[in-house]
Amino acid sequence: MKLSIEAELVYNFAADTQVIANLEASRTTDQIILSESLDIQPPARFLSDTTSHGERSIRASLSGDVTIRYVALVENNLRRLLPQSGLQHVWSELPSEVLPFLLPSRFCPSDKFMRFAQREFSSAGDGVARIMAILEWIHRHVDSVAGASDAQTTAEQTFVDRAGVCREFTHLGITLTRALGIPARAVSAYALELNPPDFHAIFEVYIEDSWWLIDPTRLAPIEGIVRIGSGRDASDIAFLTSDKQCQVIRQTINISRTP
């Protein structure tokens, strides 16, 4: 599947605001970037960073009204879906770089959910069956409600409130998965068929020696996902981080399928 992406962010920045932006599709084994362009107006110098896993970001100092525009054509026919069955790894089998995603993080206090997760999901079956049981529980117990949460909402609060947007669904899914001893990490993405179009937060789990993408909201097909970045939780994958407050003037995201 070829996906066309257009993202335009228009912000007002205070003088000399330091910015880190995560907008570019990552260069990973399950998606190929056929073409892309990144433009900042008025023109500004920026530094590009790439992780060892192909995730990319830019750093810049911006001021005044600024437009950041990213356009890309991405092929993701290599995307694999979560298998129907699969065992979770014992920790001694995991690669060292996966281990941090077993631990509690700022928005995902998995240590507080170990008793609940074990009682609710450990008898479901193998690793994949447990993950599917978690997703079904979230689907039955958490409502998608805009405005029911904010940037400080944790999975613990979502568990109580039972409402939120993609960010909260993802944090709760990660928390419950880690509480079962399965590595899980947050993923920022562009998503086909997401309504209204926006940046999307999903997560992935480590099963059968691979990371597998999951959308706990069920709002976008995994085949139509384009990865941007990954991390412990939303604090690692924000599309824009600044050292001063900034004002959103306009933000437009368009994703479409192309022949």
Side-chain angles (χ1 to χ4, degrees):
M1 182 187 298
K2 292 181 181 179
L3 296 171
S4 176
I5 299 166
E6 296 181 5
E8 185 175 87
L9 281 62
V10 183
Y11 277 66
N12 178 265
F13 296 97
D16 299 324
T17 300
Q18 303 299 304
V19 170
I20 300 174
N22 297 284
L23 303 174
E24 299 166 285
S26 60
R27 298 186 182 277
T28 56
T29 56
D30 60 353
Q31 62 187 36
I32 300 170
I33 301 170
L34 302 176
S35 64
E36 66 176 350
S37 65
L38 178 65
D39 179 64
I40 300 178
Q41 293 296 330
R45 294 181 60 184
F46 61 86
L47 177 66
S48 296
D49 298 302
T50 303
T51 70
S52 59
H53 301 292
E55 298 169 355
R56 300 178 294 158
S57 61
I58 63 169
R59 287 179 277 163
S61 179
L62 305 175
S63 61
D65 290 348
V66 176
T67 299
I68 305 174
R69 180 174 171 79
Y70 177 66
V71 177
L73 181 63
V74 178
E75 170 69 75
N76 65 354
N77 280 340
L78 299 175
R79 181 67 38 75
R80 296 187 301 163
L81 302 181
L82 185 70
Q84 293 185 347
S85 63
L87 297 176
Q88 71 182 81
H89 294 275
V90 296
W91 291 2
S92 60
E93 295 175 345
L94 292 170
S96 59
E97 64 269 19
V98 173
L99 297 181
F101 302 107
L102 286 167
L103 304 176
S105 58
R106 177 181 176 185
F107 295 106
C108 302
S110 52
D111 53 326
K112 297 182 180 181
F113 285 83
M114 293 178 66
R115 185 183 300 277
F116 172 80
Q118 288 293 331
R119 291 184 63 181
E120 191 76 21
F121 308 117
S122 62
S123 63
D126 65 11
V128 170
R130 293 178 178 186
I131 293 164
M132 296 305 294
I134 289 171
L135 296 175
E136 180 61 26
W137 187 94
I138 292 173
H139 177 68
R140 287 189 287 110
H141 293 282
V142 183
D143 298 324
S144 180
V145 180
S149 56
D150 58 32
Q152 304 305 316
T153 301
T154 67
E156 189 174 12
Q157 292 169 283
T158 301
F159 183 80
V160 173
D161 296 341
R162 305 292 172 96
V165 293
C166 60
R167 178 182 181 276
E168 284 66 56
F169 279 66
T170 287
H171 283 160
L172 187 54
I174 290 171
T175 298
L176 296 174
T177 302
R178 290 179 187 168
L180 289 178
I182 301 173
R185 65 186 183 186
V187 176
S188 59
Y190 296 107
L192 184 68
E193 298 181 13
L194 188 65
N195 187 25
D198 201 348
F199 292 104
H200 199 33
I202 57 176
F203 74 104
E204 55 187 350
V205 297
Y206 194 85
I207 289 281
E208 296 286 330
D209 296 310
S210 294
W211 286 106
W212 304 87
L213 284 172
I214 294 171
D215 183 359
T217 68
R218 303 186 179 184
L219 295 177
I222 294 300
E223 301 94 320
I225 291 292
V226 175
R227 298 171 183 264
I228 301 174
S230 63
R232 295 163 299 174
D233 53 35
S235 59
D236 289 339
I237 61 171
F239 60 87
L240 189 73
T241 303
S242 64
D243 70 339
K244 299 182 181 71
Q245 288 191 346
C246 55
Q247 179 183 1
V248 181
I249 298 176
R250 185 175 70 254
Q251 181 175 298
T252 306
I253 308 293
N254 288 307
I255 304 101
S256 59
R257 186 171 181 174
T258 62

